[in-house]
Amino acid sequence: MALLEVRDIHTYYGKIHALKGISISVDEGEIVTLIGANGAGKTTTLNTICGLTPASEGQILLDGEDITRLKPHEIVKRGVGQAPEGRKIFTRLTVRENLEMGAYSRTDPAGIERDMEYVFGIFPRLKEREKQLGGTLSGGEQQMLAIGRALMARPRILLLDEPSMGLAPMLVQDIFRVIKELNEQGTTILLVEQNALMALNVADRGYVLQTGTIALEDTAEALRNNDMVRKVYLGEK
């Protein structure tokens, strides 16, 4: 049984049919990536899973439990964490306060503190800036904070939306190294990423989205070697 299963999801923005029967699955322990052009429906897929943009039709299952109609905070409690596109950290809160907000649904102070130290271990730079306001951090540090905040909810699956956006190449390498390390430590990840090559290099499997539909699905290695993917998404001739 898949940890996360999305079945024939349709999502609308008003009269705009954004997702037209999307079906994807993520097994426990996997990194699965969604790639596609801007406007293909990648972020909408993540937001639909999280309940931020509710599905009009279809079903979303987390470990066999139907979460399609749950509120976003209830979905977080079930074990879905998200580091959203654009980071969306709390700029007027400190690094520590941002991380504490990630654990808002928890009632285990000792466990929260252990997880805080776990996040600081993954991102030592956040530890150095623990009392600094989120809005004063660099773009790379804010991305680390967004991922760390999502981890504070102890997610069973972590949704990452464009983690490399706007970052310098060296920082992109750092972020993807952390993504791989998190997965090796047991975190299941669904990754949306404009940098298709980086995404396919860390992922086990992938889906190619085109205008709200699944155009291709395969192992990451097969997608890297697919002629269409190489020409359209990897920039090869």
PDB file of all heavy atoms in Angstrom, residues 186-208:
ATOM      1  N   GLY A 186      14.971   8.402   6.753  1.00  0.00           N
ATOM      2  CA  GLY A 186      13.634   7.837   6.883  1.00  0.00           C
ATOM      3  C   GLY A 186      12.475   8.720   6.484  1.00  0.00           C
ATOM      4  O   GLY A 186      11.314   8.293   6.592  1.00  0.00           O
ATOM      5  N   THR A 187      12.742   9.949   6.016  1.00  0.00           N
ATOM      6  CA  THR A 187      11.653  10.842   5.640  1.00  0.00           C
ATOM      7  C   THR A 187      11.226  10.585   4.193  1.00  0.00           C
ATOM      8  O   THR A 187      12.051  10.621   3.279  1.00  0.00           O
ATOM      9  CB  THR A 187      12.079  12.316   5.784  1.00  0.00           C
ATOM     10  OG1 THR A 187      12.477  12.565   7.132  1.00  0.00           O
ATOM     11  CG2 THR A 187      10.933  13.254   5.434  1.00  0.00           C
ATOM     12  N   THR A 188       9.945  10.329   3.998  1.00  0.00           N
ATOM     13  CA  THR A 188       9.372  10.181   2.664  1.00  0.00           C
ATOM     14  C   THR A 188       9.112  11.569   2.102  1.00  0.00           C
ATOM     15  O   THR A 188       8.610  12.450   2.806  1.00  0.00           O
ATOM     16  CB  THR A 188       8.059   9.382   2.738  1.00  0.00           C
ATOM     17  OG1 THR A 188       8.329   8.111   3.332  1.00  0.00           O
ATOM     18  CG2 THR A 188       7.457   9.174   1.354  1.00  0.00           C
ATOM     19  N   ILE A 189       9.446  11.786   0.831  1.00  0.00           N
ATOM     20  CA  ILE A 189       9.411  13.139   0.266  1.00  0.00           C
ATOM     21  C   ILE A 189       8.708  13.164  -1.083  1.00  0.00           C
ATOM     22  O   ILE A 189       8.974  12.326  -1.954  1.00  0.00           O
ATOM     23  CB  ILE A 189      10.852  13.701   0.110  1.00  0.00           C
ATOM     24  CG1 ILE A 189      11.510  13.859   1.487  1.00  0.00           C
ATOM     25  CG2 ILE A 189      10.840  15.035  -0.639  1.00  0.00           C
ATOM     26  CD1 ILE A 189      12.983  14.206   1.441  1.00  0.00           C
ATOM     27  N   LEU A 190       7.813  14.140  -1.240  1.00  0.00           N
ATOM     28  CA  LEU A 190       7.230  14.469  -2.533  1.00  0.00           C
ATOM     29  C   LEU A 190       7.764  15.851  -2.908  1.00  0.00           C
ATOM     30  O   LEU A 190       7.522  16.829  -2.204  1.00  0.00           O
ATOM     31  CB  LEU A 190       5.698  14.478  -2.471  1.00  0.00           C
ATOM     32  CG  LEU A 190       4.960  14.851  -3.769  1.00  0.00           C
ATOM     33  CD1 LEU A 190       5.341  13.932  -4.924  1.00  0.00           C
ATOM     34  CD2 LEU A 190       3.450  14.839  -3.549  1.00  0.00           C
ATOM     35  N   LEU A 191       8.501  15.903  -4.010  1.00  0.00           N
ATOM     36  CA  LEU A 191       9.298  17.078  -4.364  1.00  0.00           C
ATOM     37  C   LEU A 191       8.804  17.705  -5.659  1.00  0.00           C
ATOM     38  O   LEU A 191       8.728  17.040  -6.687  1.00  0.00           O
ATOM     39  CB  LEU A 191      10.764  16.647  -4.520  1.00  0.00           C
ATOM     40  CG  LEU A 191      11.753  17.637  -5.136  1.00  0.00           C
ATOM     41  CD1 LEU A 191      11.959  18.835  -4.216  1.00  0.00           C
ATOM     42  CD2 LEU A 191      13.092  16.933  -5.405  1.00  0.00           C
ATOM     43  N   VAL A 192       8.473  18.989  -5.593  1.00  0.00           N
ATOM     44  CA  VAL A 192       8.203  19.794  -6.791  1.00  0.00           C
ATOM     45  C   VAL A 192       9.421  20.668  -7.014  1.00  0.00           C
ATOM     46  O   VAL A 192       9.876  21.347  -6.091  1.00  0.00           O
ATOM     47  CB  VAL A 192       6.942  20.666  -6.602  1.00  0.00           C
ATOM     48  CG1 VAL A 192       6.923  21.822  -7.590  1.00  0.00           C
ATOM     49  CG2 VAL A 192       5.696  19.825  -6.756  1.00  0.00           C
ATOM     50  N   GLU A 193       9.943  20.646  -8.235  1.00  0.00           N
ATOM     51  CA  GLU A 193      11.206  21.344  -8.460  1.00  0.00           C
ATOM     52  C   GLU A 193      11.350  21.737  -9.931  1.00  0.00           C
ATOM     53  O   GLU A 193      11.179  20.918 -10.828  1.00  0.00           O
ATOM     54  CB  GLU A 193      12.380  20.448  -8.035  1.00  0.00           C
ATOM     55  CG  GLU A 193      13.746  21.018  -8.284  1.00  0.00           C
ATOM     56  CD  GLU A 193      13.957  22.392  -7.684  1.00  0.00           C
ATOM     57  OE1 GLU A 193      13.725  22.550  -6.465  1.00  0.00           O
ATOM     58  OE2 GLU A 193      14.336  23.315  -8.431  1.00  0.00           O
ATOM     59  N   GLN A 194      11.649  23.036 -10.151  1.00  0.00           N
ATOM     60  CA  GLN A 194      11.854  23.543 -11.497  1.00  0.00           C
ATOM     61  C   GLN A 194      13.162  23.021 -12.102  1.00  0.00           C
ATOM     62  O   GLN A 194      13.261  22.819 -13.307  1.00  0.00           O
ATOM     63  CB  GLN A 194      11.874  25.077 -11.479  1.00  0.00           C
ATOM     64  CG  GLN A 194      11.667  25.725 -12.832  1.00  0.00           C
ATOM     65  CD  GLN A 194      10.267  25.514 -13.395  1.00  0.00           C
ATOM     66  OE1 GLN A 194       9.305  25.456 -12.650  1.00  0.00           O
ATOM     67  NE2 GLN A 194      10.156  25.375 -14.700  1.00  0.00           N
ATOM     68  N   ASN A 195      14.159  22.790 -11.238  1.00  0.00           N
ATOM     69  CA  ASN A 195      15.443  22.242 -11.693  1.00  0.00           C
ATOM     70  C   ASN A 195      15.270  20.735 -11.850  1.00  0.00           C
ATOM     71  O   ASN A 195      15.541  19.947 -10.944  1.00  0.00           O
ATOM     72  CB  ASN A 195      16.542  22.569 -10.680  1.00  0.00           C
ATOM     73  CG  ASN A 195      17.929  22.211 -11.183  1.00  0.00           C
ATOM     74  OD1 ASN A 195      18.100  21.260 -11.952  1.00  0.00           O
ATOM     75  ND2 ASN A 195      18.929  22.960 -10.756  1.00  0.00           N
ATOM     76  N   ALA A 196      14.802  20.338 -13.030  1.00  0.00           N
ATOM     77  CA  ALA A 196      14.417  18.942 -13.253  1.00  0.00           C
ATOM     78  C   ALA A 196      15.594  17.988 -13.098  1.00  0.00           C
ATOM     79  O   ALA A 196      15.436  16.881 -12.576  1.00  0.00           O
ATOM     80  CB  ALA A 196      13.792  18.790 -14.640  1.00  0.00           C
ATOM     81  N   LEU A 197      16.775  18.399 -13.533  1.00  0.00           N
ATOM     82  CA  LEU A 197      17.924  17.506 -13.442  1.00  0.00           C
ATOM     83  C   LEU A 197      18.279  17.215 -11.994  1.00  0.00           C
ATOM     84  O   LEU A 197      18.505  16.059 -11.621  1.00  0.00           O
ATOM     85  CB  LEU A 197      19.125  18.107 -14.173  1.00  0.00           C
ATOM     86  CG  LEU A 197      20.394  17.244 -14.171  1.00  0.00           C
ATOM     87  CD1 LEU A 197      20.129  15.883 -14.826  1.00  0.00           C
ATOM     88  CD2 LEU A 197      21.533  17.968 -14.886  1.00  0.00           C
ATOM     89  N   MET A 198      18.313  18.248 -11.162  1.00  0.00           N
ATOM     90  CA  MET A 198      18.618  18.048  -9.743  1.00  0.00           C
ATOM     91  C   MET A 198      17.559  17.159  -9.100  1.00  0.00           C
ATOM     92  O   MET A 198      17.875  16.263  -8.305  1.00  0.00           O
ATOM     93  CB  MET A 198      18.676  19.396  -9.014  1.00  0.00           C
ATOM     94  CG  MET A 198      19.847  20.280  -9.398  1.00  0.00           C
ATOM     95  SD  MET A 198      21.437  19.632  -8.852  1.00  0.00           S
ATOM     96  CE  MET A 198      21.332  19.889  -7.095  1.00  0.00           C
ATOM     97  N   ALA A 199      16.300  17.403  -9.448  1.00  0.00           N
ATOM     98  CA  ALA A 199      15.215  16.611  -8.869  1.00  0.00           C
ATOM     99  C   ALA A 199      15.339  15.145  -9.258  1.00  0.00           C
ATOM    100  O   ALA A 199      15.219  14.244  -8.407  1.00  0.00           O
ATOM    101  CB  ALA A 199      13.868  17.164  -9.313  1.00  0.00           C
ATOM    102  N   LEU A 200      15.591  14.881 -10.525  1.00  0.00           N
ATOM    103  CA  LEU A 200      15.679  13.495 -10.988  1.00  0.00           C
ATOM    104  C   LEU A 200      16.937  12.811 -10.474  1.00  0.00           C
ATOM    105  O   LEU A 200      16.983  11.579 -10.376  1.00  0.00           O
ATOM    106  CB  LEU A 200      15.634  13.453 -12.524  1.00  0.00           C
ATOM    107  CG  LEU A 200      14.286  13.844 -13.135  1.00  0.00           C
ATOM    108  CD1 LEU A 200      14.406  13.956 -14.650  1.00  0.00           C
ATOM    109  CD2 LEU A 200      13.196  12.844 -12.759  1.00  0.00           C
ATOM    110  N   ASN A 201      17.948  13.586 -10.121  1.00  0.00           N
ATOM    111  CA  ASN A 201      19.180  12.993  -9.574  1.00  0.00           C
ATOM    112  C   ASN A 201      18.991  12.478  -8.153  1.00  0.00           C
ATOM    113  O   ASN A 201      19.714  11.577  -7.717  1.00  0.00           O
ATOM    114  CB  ASN A 201      20.329  14.003  -9.616  1.00  0.00           C
ATOM    115  CG  ASN A 201      20.947  14.115 -10.996  1.00  0.00           C
ATOM    116  OD1 ASN A 201      20.777  13.235 -11.838  1.00  0.00           O
ATOM    117  ND2 ASN A 201      21.660  15.200 -11.243  1.00  0.00           N
ATOM    118  N   VAL A 202      18.034  13.053  -7.410  1.00  0.00           N
ATOM    119  CA  VAL A 202      17.826  12.587  -6.028  1.00  0.00           C
ATOM    120  C   VAL A 202      16.608  11.681  -5.893  1.00  0.00           C
ATOM    121  O   VAL A 202      16.479  10.956  -4.911  1.00  0.00           O
ATOM    122  CB  VAL A 202      17.696  13.762  -5.018  1.00  0.00           C
ATOM    123  CG1 VAL A 202      18.952  14.608  -5.007  1.00  0.00           C
ATOM    124  CG2 VAL A 202      16.455  14.604  -5.289  1.00  0.00           C
ATOM    125  N   ALA A 203      15.702  11.726  -6.880  1.00  0.00           N
ATOM    126  CA  ALA A 203      14.434  11.010  -6.758  1.00  0.00           C
ATOM    127  C   ALA A 203      14.546   9.537  -7.132  1.00  0.00           C
ATOM    128  O   ALA A 203      15.460   9.122  -7.853  1.00  0.00           O
ATOM    129  CB  ALA A 203      13.376  11.680  -7.638  1.00  0.00           C
ATOM    130  N   ASP A 204      13.595   8.756  -6.615  1.00  0.00           N
ATOM    131  CA  ASP A 204      13.447   7.360  -7.032  1.00  0.00           C
ATOM    132  C   ASP A 204      12.558   7.260  -8.262  1.00  0.00           C
ATOM    133  O   ASP A 204      12.839   6.497  -9.187  1.00  0.00           O
ATOM    134  CB  ASP A 204      12.818   6.539  -5.891  1.00  0.00           C
ATOM    135  CG  ASP A 204      13.677   6.548  -4.646  1.00  0.00           C
ATOM    136  OD1 ASP A 204      14.773   5.983  -4.689  1.00  0.00           O
ATOM    137  OD2 ASP A 204      13.243   7.138  -3.635  1.00  0.00           O
ATOM    138  N   ARG A 205      11.471   8.018  -8.258  1.00  0.00           N
ATOM    139  CA  ARG A 205      10.519   8.012  -9.369  1.00  0.00           C
ATOM    140  C   ARG A 205      10.072   9.437  -9.649  1.00  0.00           C
ATOM    141  O   ARG A 205      10.287  10.331  -8.823  1.00  0.00           O
ATOM    142  CB  ARG A 205       9.285   7.163  -9.029  1.00  0.00           C
ATOM    143  CG  ARG A 205       9.539   5.678  -8.875  1.00  0.00           C
ATOM    144  CD  ARG A 205       8.241   4.890  -8.728  1.00  0.00           C
ATOM    145  NE  ARG A 205       7.479   5.281  -7.551  1.00  0.00           N
ATOM    146  CZ  ARG A 205       6.311   5.918  -7.581  1.00  0.00           C
ATOM    147  NH1 ARG A 205       5.760   6.261  -8.739  1.00  0.00           N
ATOM    148  NH2 ARG A 205       5.684   6.217  -6.458  1.00  0.00           N
ATOM    149  N   GLY A 206       9.421   9.629 -10.799  1.00  0.00           N
ATOM    150  CA  GLY A 206       8.950  10.961 -11.127  1.00  0.00           C
ATOM    151  C   GLY A 206       7.731  10.946 -12.016  1.00  0.00           C
ATOM    152  O   GLY A 206       7.425   9.946 -12.684  1.00  0.00           O
ATOM    153  N   TYR A 207       7.025  12.073 -11.992  1.00  0.00           N
ATOM    154  CA  TYR A 207       5.871  12.315 -12.856  1.00  0.00           C
ATOM    155  C   TYR A 207       6.112  13.620 -13.602  1.00  0.00           C
ATOM    156  O   TYR A 207       6.594  14.600 -13.013  1.00  0.00           O
ATOM    157  CB  TYR A 207       4.589  12.449 -12.033  1.00  0.00           C
ATOM    158  CG  TYR A 207       4.168  11.203 -11.304  1.00  0.00           C
ATOM    159  CD1 TYR A 207       4.693  10.900 -10.044  1.00  0.00           C
ATOM    160  CD2 TYR A 207       3.231  10.324 -11.842  1.00  0.00           C
ATOM    161  CE1 TYR A 207       4.305   9.759  -9.354  1.00  0.00           C
ATOM    162  CE2 TYR A 207       2.825   9.188 -11.166  1.00  0.00           C
ATOM    163  CZ  TYR A 207       3.375   8.913  -9.921  1.00  0.00           C
ATOM    164  OH  TYR A 207       2.980   7.772  -9.236  1.00  0.00           O
ATOM    165  N   VAL A 208       5.769  13.645 -14.874  1.00  0.00           N
ATOM    166  CA  VAL A 208       5.837  14.862 -15.677  1.00  0.00           C
ATOM    167  C   VAL A 208       4.424  15.386 -15.855  1.00  0.00           C
ATOM    168  O   VAL A 208       3.550  14.682 -16.384  1.00  0.00           O
ATOM    169  CB  VAL A 208       6.490  14.594 -17.049  1.00  0.00           C
ATOM    170  CG1 VAL A 208       6.509  15.875 -17.883  1.00  0.00           C
ATOM    171  CG2 VAL A 208       7.910  14.052 -16.880  1.00  0.00           C
TER     172      VAL A 208
END
